[in-house]
Structure formats: C-alpha cells, structure tokens
Amino acid sequence: TEDFVHNGNDASPANLEMENPVIATDGRIFLHGWLGRPRAARHEAQVLEEDWAAATELDCLGVDAALYEGSEGLRVVAAGEYGGLGCWDGTTGAEMWRVPLPEAYATPTVDPASGRIYLPVGGGSIWVAGLDRDGQALWDEPARLCYSGESGGDSQRAFGVGCLSHDGHTYYFRTSGLNHSGSLYAIATGTGAVKWTFPTGSQGWAQQTVS
C-alpha cells in the first residue's frame, strides 16, 4: 500500500487548492482558495495542515503569493482580481498595506535585494505597477500605462509571472490578446517606461495560451 498525505482535522482543505506552491525558508507552503486570501500550511509526517492566513480578504484567482524576507521578517505579497495589491506580515497575518490597482491576473515579482515589487495589471489595457516594500510608488504613480486596449484595437491581459533581469534594471512580462495581439514587454525599472515590446501573437484568456 501507499501512504498519502492528508489534511488531518482541517475542515477546509479548499483553502489550499490554488495555485502553485510557494515555499518559505521555514518550510511553510503558501497557496490559496478560489478567489481567496493567501494561506500557508506546514507538512508534518503525512499531514498537511493550514497554520497561517492573511488577516484580510483578497480575491486571488490564478495568481501565486510572492514572498520577501528582509531584516523585518517575512512578508507575503499577493494581488487580486478586484482587491488590488496587498502585503501581510508572514508571522501574524496582519495586513501591512494595500494599494488599489486595476484587476490582476499575474503573480507579483519581488526583487530579493530591495523588496521592490513589480506587477502587470489590467483587464483590457495593460499597466505596470511598481512599488517599494512599504507599498509606496516607485515612479510618479503606482502604475503606468503600457498598452491601451481601446486605441490598440484589442484587449490584452497578463498571466503567469514576470521576471527581473540580473542587474534589476529591466522587468519582463508577457500578455495574451483576444486576437493574437499578445506581446513580451520590457520595462525600465527606474522609470516604469516601456523599453520595447515583442509581438508573440499569444491569444486567449487562459493561463496556458495558444500561439
């Protein structure tokens, strides 16, 4: 026979049903429920039980939590379809700050050296958000417009997770469009300006897009 991990006495296993696991240095596994807040569980022997939850709601959909551990301890950052971008204390779950933004379908990227946060947002047009670890805008506003779905003639959304260049000067993310208009974007992290775009031809709203 095989042994299977179970959830012990946890009556709400769906709190950990989505999306991809993110692991903290203390071994906690961060996930969330459908349109739920970030949560974490510990794995002991054959049992995986929830032991941490963000103290306030956030409608996470197809996104993962992002973790940042600095001198002040662990912080958990996540974005919601309607709830903006939030940050919680990784020990207590208390909300530290929240910034209203257009809807988010992507996972935040956190610079491990500085705690700066980057995230593409929008349900038609595309903005890129840039915040420091305390939720303050890196540029003249929390998010800068990268693409207008109205003037561009097609709606785009960003899914998955972006990434930073090794020197931290460029942030990259990819979008999907309803009519093969998706692109790869390169953003200057110092200004939030678009450096360049590359048309990938990605289409559709699914996370796994078709080229």
Side-chain angles (χ1 to χ4, degrees), residues 64-68 75-79 84-88 96-99 101 106-121 128-139 141-143 161 163-164 168 171 187 189 192:
D64 303 321
L67 307 180
Y68 170 70
R75 296 185 178 190
V76 181
V77 179
L85 181 68
C87 177
W88 294 266
M96 303 180 72
W97 52 261
R98 188 176 300 216
V99 176
L101 293 170
T107 296
T109 295
V110 182
D111 185 337
S114 65
R116 291 179 174 178
I117 302 160
Y118 304 95
L119 175 69
V121 294
V128 61
L131 305 168
D132 68 14
R133 62 183 184 180
D134 297 317
Q136 299 301 307
L138 295 180
W139 313 308
E141 51 194 339
V161 60
C163 68
L164 284 167
Y171 172 61
I187 306 297
T189 56

Side-chain angles (χ1 to χ4, degrees), residues 120 126 156-159 173-177 181-185 200 202-203 209:
I126 297 294
Q156 292 186 12
R157 290 183 184 177
F159 298 100
F173 66 88
R174 188 182 60 79
T175 63
S176 298
S181 63
S183 294
L184 175 67
Y185 288 77
T200 60
S202 303
Q203 71 167 350
T209 57

Side-chain angles (χ1 to χ4, degrees), residues 49-72:
E49 288 190 312
E50 179 185 329
D51 78 339
W52 182 94
T56 49
E57 286 290 353
L58 182 71
D59 46 1
C60 294
L61 190 58
V63 303
D64 303 321
L67 307 180
Y68 170 70
E69 194 155 10
S71 59
E72 300 169 348

